[in-house]
Amino acid sequence: IALLPLRNTVLFPGVVLPITVGRDKSIKAVNDAYKGDKLIGVVAQKDSSVEDPAIKDLENVGTVAKIVKQIKMPDGGTTIIIQGKSRFAIESIVGEDPYFKARIRKLEEDEVPKDGDFEAYVANIKDLATEIIQLSPNLPTEASIILRNIENPSFLIHFVSSNLNTDIREKQKLLQLDNIRERADLLMQLLQKELQFAELKNKVTTKTRTELDKQQ
């Protein structure tokens, strides 16, 4: 499969994302994939500042994506709408020119555990994510409605992971975990951290506003 390295994004299965493609290599990879089966292997770069990544700069685990739509921009760039399909690991690189091509191995998803313990995890993830949405003025309130309506636990974890306001390395860790219970556990820890930060930010904002009101 052709590889599409992304700088600041980790794509999760099921998640739909718009991506702006600017690099010549990436545009060629996207064009060829779009003409063919519309599938492309999306991998995150280890360091987003690297302009022209080599193989060593790419993560080994990524997500096969379907290119749902390709939009040519007036400035010559390309925007694509992609949807994550399944996780994969790179087995070997079979071509580097005009873009990276890899032989990949599909990573199977765990069966969703049916016990009460895991259900509690899922409910907790929904609650934490909803609280964060309510505390974040830049997030649309519809997001919590979407969240409430997600019934598939596996997709819920991917969707929330994708929208986490966290370091790219943490998102990559989430993608690489094969065990869905471990993934849910790590996600919960990251959400708790994010919630604390959102609460702190709100406190500071409110305090500043109160001070300004007093001064006025």
Side-chain angles (χ1 to χ4, degrees), residues 56-201:
K56 63 174 174 50
D57 300 313
L58 305 180
E59 294 288 358
N60 196 51
V61 172
T63 302
V64 172
K66 188 174 180 79
I67 304 170
V68 182
K69 196 169 186 185
Q70 184 181 26
I71 307 148
K72 302 271 187 198
M73 304 310 261
D75 62 1
T78 298
T79 293
I80 51 172
I81 312 289
I82 53 176
Q83 180 174 24
K85 290 293 174 194
S86 57
R87 300 179 311 127
F88 71 84
I90 295 174
E91 292 271 88
S92 61
I93 296 296
V94 291
E96 295 197 27
D97 203 45
Y99 44 78
F100 295 126
K101 257 191 153 169
R103 186 172 287 116
I104 61 170
R105 172 172 51 90
K106 188 181 170 188
L107 297 174
E108 296 302 332
E109 285 299 310
D110 270 2
E111 279 290 309
V112 173
K114 294 279 186 281
D115 55 79
D117 190 35
F118 187 73
E119 280 169 20
Y121 264 105
V122 171
N124 213 335
I125 286 169
K126 274 192 181 183
D127 291 345
L128 284 167
T130 305
E131 278 185 70
I132 292 165
I133 291 165
Q134 285 161 353
L135 283 171
S136 310
N138 54 337
L139 288 176
T141 37
E142 299 86 76
S144 52
I145 300 166
I146 294 169
L147 202 62
R148 287 276 158 221
N149 288 327
I150 296 174
E151 304 216 328
N152 178 329
S154 189
F155 176 63
L156 172 81
I157 292 168
H158 286 149
F159 179 75
V160 175
S161 300
S162 176
N163 290 290
L164 254 186
N165 190 13
T166 188
D167 188 81
I168 192 121
R169 282 188 295 265
E170 301 286 14
K171 287 191 179 187
Q172 184 64 30
K173 248 188 236 169
L174 284 164
L175 183 73
Q176 284 177 206
L177 279 172
D178 289 328
N179 185 313
I180 193 166
R181 203 183 287 271
E182 286 174 18
R183 206 183 296 159
D185 188 47
L186 175 59
L187 178 57
M188 226 159 69
Q189 290 172 37
L190 292 170
L191 282 169
Q192 276 159 346
K193 221 194 288 180
E194 193 173 328
L195 182 59
Q196 283 172 345
F197 183 69
E199 285 170 342
L200 196 66
K201 216 165 141 190

